[in-house]
Amino acid sequence: MIYKFRYFVLFFFLSTLLACSDGKKNIEKLIDPTRPNIIIIFTDDQGYQDLGSFGSPDIKTPNLDQMAKEGIRFSNFYDAQPVCSASRAGLLTGCYPNRIGIHGALGPGAKAVLNHDEITIAELVKPLGYSTALFGKWHLGDSKEYLPQSQGFDEYFGLPYSNDMWPKHPENPEAWPRLPLIEGDSIIQYLDDDQNMLTTWYTEKAIDFIERNNEKPFFLYLAHNMPHVPLFVSDKFRG
């Protein structure tokens, strides 16, 4: 099935606008009167050449290749920091992560969090009538008061940090607690044995959100844990 909805990839534009003092005024000019839907797909630890459209000889990515062919493919791109929490803080706020106190990858119970004084993309577009959702990895604070629904997202389903921060870590298993899967601000289960369905669950949640909101503007942030290790896959794609 092909979903016919308008979307803009706004990585560069939104980061620039968020950092400006007149960010809200600028973004109103950008999206009025068309109110485009915004989808950001953010994959964890995916390398530059891990896509067919960027030259991978053995990793098959036909759907992403089609998006690259029909859209714009950036071959020169810069991120605020090339690591888990810091890159997410920069993406969502348009700020340098160091300035807002986010360095590297936050562990469970970390005191450093994305503080509520910072304005996320979700908080910026909600007053303009957008529905907002995050499905996937958050990694900007795992306590209840700093989860995505306190940062402008109407819906959240995913892991609060990296999927390798669990008791099955091969080098230091004693350092990590059980890995929680969160919906809203509540733990719905612990992933004690495997993460085989994680990518499928995120994708199904994303499609459901799009279908429920296709008559009004929405902002969807789909932050896949894979292909960060440990690697898991559903039976449908195994092998």
Side-chain angles (χ1 to χ4, degrees), residues 51-117:
L51 300 175
S53 58
F54 281 86
S56 175
D58 50 11
I59 301 176
K60 308 304 180 184
T61 56
N63 296 318
L64 293 174
D65 295 347
Q66 181 179 350
M67 291 175 65
K69 182 180 180 180
E70 297 176 356
I72 298 173
R73 187 174 66 93
F74 295 97
S75 58
N76 191 10
F77 181 80
Y78 297 88
D79 194 8
Q81 282 194 27
V83 67
C84 299
S85 300
S87 62
R88 293 161 202 277
L91 172 67
L92 288 176
T93 68
C95 297
Y96 285 116
N98 287 14
R99 187 185 68 77
I100 57 178
I102 304 293
H103 309 276
L106 304 180
K111 294 181 179 179
V113 295
L114 181 62
N115 70 78
H116 291 145
D117 291 334

Side-chain angles (χ1 to χ4, degrees), residues 129-170:
Y130 277 70
S131 298
T132 59
L134 163 55
F135 304 122
K137 177 180 173 180
W138 171 237
H139 215 171
L140 292 170
D142 61 323
S143 60
K144 182 176 292 189
E145 63 268 31
Y146 290 102
L147 289 173
Q149 287 187 312
S150 71
Q151 307 276 11
F153 290 95
D154 298 323
E155 301 179 31
Y156 171 57
F157 175 90
L159 302 186
Y161 35 75
S162 288
N163 64 321
D164 66 334
M165 295 177 174
W166 69 332
K168 290 180 179 285
H169 193 287

Side-chain angles (χ1 to χ4, degrees), residues 6-77:
R6 295 167 298 165
Y7 67 97
F8 292 157
V9 179
L10 295 176
F11 292 106
F12 176 79
F13 295 109
L14 282 172
S15 294
T16 302
L17 291 168
L18 283 164
C20 296
S21 58
D22 292 330
K24 184 176 180 181
K25 186 183 299 183
N26 287 334
I27 200 167
E28 285 176 346
K29 292 179 181 178
L30 176 67
I31 71 174
D32 265 339
T34 57
R35 292 284 196 269
N37 297 325
I38 304 167
I39 300 176
I40 295 178
I41 303 174
F42 200 46
T43 54
D44 199 353
D45 266 13
Q46 189 166 30
Y48 183 92
Q49 200 207 7
D50 290 348
L51 300 175
S53 58
F54 281 86
S56 175
D58 50 11
I59 301 176
K60 308 304 180 184
T61 56
N63 296 318
L64 293 174
D65 295 347
Q66 181 179 350
M67 291 175 65
K69 182 180 180 180
E70 297 176 356
I72 298 173
R73 187 174 66 93
F74 295 97
S75 58
N76 191 10
F77 181 80

